[in-house]
Amino acid sequence: MQDVIYIVAALLMLVGASFALIAAIGILRLPDIYTRTHAASKAGTLGSGLLLLALAVFSQELTVVTRAFAAIVFFLLTAPISSHLLARAAYLAGYPPEPSTDIRGMAEYGPGQSKQ
Amino acid sequence: MISAQDFLILSVDISLVMLLLAFLLTIVRIVIGPTLPDRVLALDMLVAVGIGFIAIIGIKTGYFLYIDVAIALGLIGFLATVAFSRYVLNRGTVVDEGGDPEGNYNIIEIEIRQSAQSAQPASAQTVQGDS
């Protein structure tokens, strides 16, 4: 039984670290701030969440498991908020998207409509 | 066939190396920019990688108290990103090398800039006065 817990924790750790690495590669390789937000918010949050889950599985203590789940829920709640806020602020401040981006749909949410 | 404990120890080391690579790549993005939101986003990513480091060190050493540090770090990272976003928003017109202060990117950007100036003349005037 202990072996199963060790293997599950090790696999969760490897997958979580892989997602963190993929997020970092995405931050480095993607062309503009709006696409980089995808990598940081989705893959990065999943990576740190899986690593915390590995800690929870490995500890087998109720206090650690509850705190790990509280931390994961907190990250899952705040990551979309912060990345959306940052992308919206960058768009309203006038940072240009990648030239191939089709932003006609965003034009009606432009700076004029931001602060009523 | 290696035992499960050896597999755990091996994957701890592999995960630490992968997180180190992620950390270094994120630092490269912070250094090369090119714009302020890019750097803020990379700092947010750095906090996520730091939380991963804390979790792995907790597994490696057996001190599960580290998870409180991870929660506190996540809270601080979220607040820092929100504060930087408000700063980017309130700073107004783009002034670093990511964009031209005159706003000559394309037609859509010029339209957005004109509507911004007509909507908020006071703040647009103060920012444009510097350039």
Side-chain angles (χ1 to χ4, degrees):
Chain A
M1 189 58 201
Q2 197 70 27
D3 286 353
V4 174
I5 285 170
Y6 281 167
I7 290 173
V8 168
L11 289 180
L12 282 174
M13 217 162 29
L14 287 177
V15 174
S18 307
F19 269 107
L21 183 57
I22 289 168
I25 293 173
I27 279 187
L28 199 61
R29 297 268 304 166
L30 287 171
D32 60 356
I33 170 70
Y34 308 103
T35 48
R36 281 173 203 143
T37 310
H38 289 280
S41 67
K42 289 196 268 284
T45 308
L46 184 59
S48 57
L50 283 178
L51 289 169
L52 285 174
L53 197 62
L55 180 62
V57 168
F58 179 74
S59 70
Q60 306 175 50
E61 294 175 16
L62 186 61
T63 57
V64 179
V65 171
T66 50
R67 275 183 284 178
F69 270 99
I72 291 170
V73 169
F74 177 75
F75 295 145
L76 288 181
L77 282 179
T78 56
I81 296 172
S82 63
S83 64
H84 173 83
L85 205 57
L86 184 63
R88 184 175 175 275
Y91 184 75
L92 293 180
Y95 287 95
E98 176 75 358
S100 63
T101 309
D102 184 6
I103 61 168
R104 280 172 298 177
M106 280 291 289
E108 57 184 300
Y109 301 106
Q113 287 79 21
S114 62
K115 301 169 187 168
Q116 271 107 15
Chain B
M1 188 66 196
I2 60 174
S3 69
Q5 200 159 6
D6 289 340
F7 180 57
L8 183 70
I9 292 169
L10 182 68
S11 55
V12 162
D13 290 340
I14 294 174
S15 305
L16 280 177
V17 171
M18 288 164 92
L19 279 186
L20 177 67
L21 279 177
F23 204 83
L24 291 178
L25 292 177
T26 312
I27 285 176
V28 169
R29 175 51 71 195
I30 291 178
V31 171
I32 66 177
T35 66
L36 179 65
D38 285 324
R39 295 191 170 100
V40 176
L41 184 72
L43 281 175
D44 194 29
M45 180 63 205
L46 214 58
V47 170
V49 176
I51 290 166
F53 265 125
I54 290 170
I56 291 187
I57 294 299
I59 291 177
K60 190 176 170 66
T61 62
Y63 289 123
F64 299 131
L65 205 61
Y66 276 123
I67 198 164
D68 292 334
V69 183
I71 293 174
L73 187 61
L75 183 61
I76 289 173
F78 171 64
L79 288 180
T81 309
V82 171
F84 270 120
S85 301
R86 298 301 297 181
Y87 171 65
V88 169
L89 192 62
N90 288 332
R91 201 175 56 155
T93 320
V94 177
V95 290
D96 57 9
E97 64 262 41
D100 182 4
E102 302 300 319
N104 297 321
Y105 313 115
N106 52 45
I107 291 175
I108 299 171
E109 285 294 326
I110 290 170
E111 282 175 0
I112 288 171
R113 204 161 297 278
Q114 283 168 352
S115 67
Q117 282 173 2
S118 63
Q120 331 161 330
S123 64
Q125 288 281 328
T126 52
V127 177
Q128 294 264 325
D130 295 333
S131 57

